[in-house]
Amino acid sequence: MKNNPRTQASRSAATREALIAAGRSLFAAHGFGEVGTEAIVQAASVTRGALYHHFVDKTELFAAVFEAVEADVIGRIGAAIANSRQSDPIAQMRLGAGVWLDACAEPEIRRIALLDAPAVLGWERWRQIGARYGMGLVQGMLGQAIELGQIEPQPVAPLAHVLLGALRESALYLADAADRTEAQREIGVVIDRMIQSLARR
């Protein structure tokens, strides 16, 4: 009796998701360096062979975990903007930046996305993955603001890179702060003013 390819694909996808979920939980709790592959496969209830079937090594599993975290945060930002029913693109950007900073203050996201990801994946890959998830959203809001005359006409791509860079650096500032509550308040004001400064006078 032949195996159903669809069933095999479903099982494979479920195994991969179990590994990512287990890795995410363990990396968030203990940090990348303190988590061994044996702990991951036990938490995911899979074999070591299943781990290496889906991921070359622990670093590649971590990259998939980081991508899942980035996707979740961007999904949160998109949902917050949609739920606000705010049609002003600059107001949307301000709201999105606030959601981003709130997320970055959470222990799981701080540990995985801000503390471990740059060190484990390297600065360039960390930046590329982050941009892959945030760039489209930021470019869309900037493009809309320019079309509506709220921002002076200018190339959208470099402006989006500058804004994402500022948001990335603000998150790193927050992650390293001794008093993260105060740092979040301060950096939130800075980012909010920066976004407002884009508005056409």
Coordinates of all heavy atoms in Angstrom, one line a residue, residues 84 95 147:
S84 N -7.5 49.3 14.6 CA -7.6 50.7 14.9 C -8.5 51.4 13.9 O -9.0 52.5 14.2 CB -6.2 51.4 15.0 OG -5.7 51.6 13.7
L95 N 1.5 54.0 15.4 CA 0.9 52.9 16.1 C 1.8 51.7 16.0 O 2.1 50.9 16.9 CB -0.5 52.7 15.6 CG -1.2 51.4 16.1 CD1 -1.4 51.5 17.6 CD2 -2.6 51.3 15.4
E147 N 1.6 59.4 -1.5 CA 0.5 59.6 -2.4 C -0.6 60.5 -1.9 O -1.2 61.3 -2.7 CB -0.2 58.2 -2.7 CG 0.6 57.3 -3.6 CD -0.1 56.0 -3.8 OE1 -1.3 55.9 -3.5 OE2 0.6 55.0 -4.3

